[in-house]
Amino acid sequence: MKRRIIPASFFERDPLICARELIGAELIWGNCSGVLVETEAYNAINDEACHTFMRPSTRAFIERNKAGAAYVYFNYGMHWMLNVLVKGRENGFVLIRALEPRTGIERMKRRRRLDEVKRLCSGPGKLTQALDITDRHHEMDLCADPRHCFAQNAEATGKVVADQRIGITRSAHLPWRFTFHGSPFVSTPAKL
């Protein structure tokens, strides 16, 4: 089955819209893939939790890259985090927080040294470990290569809910985390 890559124009909109509408899309990464079940939006302006608030290098990243570029950073000296650049009326990022594994599950299990499928990609650091995403993927165009992209997924259905962002201290109250309601693959269930 030929998958339709989500084009850069999808990411030329508001980060909140992109984060919500990526739920249910498929993330394809080499021989592995999964359905996105959790994302978070970050605004480049006036969002204290966004890297642009304190890091000039992140502001430079936005200037030199097109919408749909991968922004990969090392968090707390422990985990890589995969974000996608959004450049519309509001610039920002969508953090890819969790997915439901679909293909390459045995490979993901080996990388994570774990058998429980529900825990393979149930958090942004777990997801990058399972997919072997590192800084070598930083600035990769996620709208051009069918081996590293987001793809439309007509089969994914479910109610998308908004909740407060998690794992941060600044601007955590904003309801900019989106999940598939009831998915057992999310990092933390939404508080409804």
Side-chain angles (χ1 to χ4, degrees):
M1 173 177 77
K2 187 167 169 94
R3 298 175 179 116
R4 197 165 137 222
I5 295 176
I6 293 177
S9 59
F10 176 93
F11 299 104
E12 294 170 351
R13 303 179 299 155
D14 183 271
L16 275 78
I17 293 169
C18 291
R20 177 182 282 278
E21 292 185 6
L22 273 175
I23 298 297
E26 187 174 10
L27 175 60
I28 299 164
W29 209 266
N31 296 322
C32 300
S33 72
V35 174
L36 295 175
V37 296
E38 183 178 356
T39 61
E40 278 181 351
Y42 290 86
N43 256 342
I45 305 294
N46 298 324
D47 180 355
E48 291 184 54
C50 188
H51 281 187
T52 55
F53 198 76
M54 299 290 283
R55 296 182 183 181
S57 62
T58 305
R59 294 190 288 275
F61 171 88
I62 291 173
E63 290 299 317
R64 73 175 172 268
N65 283 281
K66 299 185 309 184
Y71 177 64
V72 180
Y73 66 90
F74 206 49
N75 195 40
Y76 301 120
M78 295 175 60
H79 304 290
W80 294 105
M81 303 292 210
L82 173 64
N83 298 259
V84 59
L85 176 61
V86 176
K87 292 180 83 168
R89 205 169 47 211
E90 297 284 337
N91 292 338
F93 299 94
V94 175
L95 171 63
I96 309 305
R97 286 199 55 88
L99 62 79
E100 177 182 338
R102 289 290 172 91
T103 63
I105 293 173
E106 291 306 314
R107 186 173 299 213
M108 292 184 208
K109 286 180 177 179
R110 282 193 303 277
R111 289 175 180 152
R112 292 266 297 120
R113 296 185 180 107
L114 184 71
D115 281 331
E116 190 179 340
V117 176
K118 289 179 187 172
R119 292 181 49 218
L120 286 176
C121 299
S122 61
K126 295 174 184 179
L127 182 149
T128 55
Q129 185 181 16
L131 300 178
D132 193 29
I133 296 170
T134 68
D135 60 342
R136 71 185 184 277
H137 301 108
H138 184 62
E139 299 195 53
M140 178 183 279
D141 183 350
L142 299 178
C143 301
D145 179 359
R147 291 185 37 83
H148 299 93
C149 68
F150 298 97
Q152 294 179 341
N153 181 6
E155 298 170 15
T157 58
K159 179 181 175 187
V160 177
V161 295
D163 192 16
Q164 294 180 349
R165 297 184 292 190
I166 57 176
I168 56 175
T169 54
R170 291 186 229 135
S171 302
H173 67 285
L174 297 170
W176 292 359
R177 181 174 77 113
F178 301 94
T179 61
F180 256 152
H181 175 63
S183 171
F185 296 92
V186 299
S187 64
T188 302
K191 296 174 191 151
L192 299 177

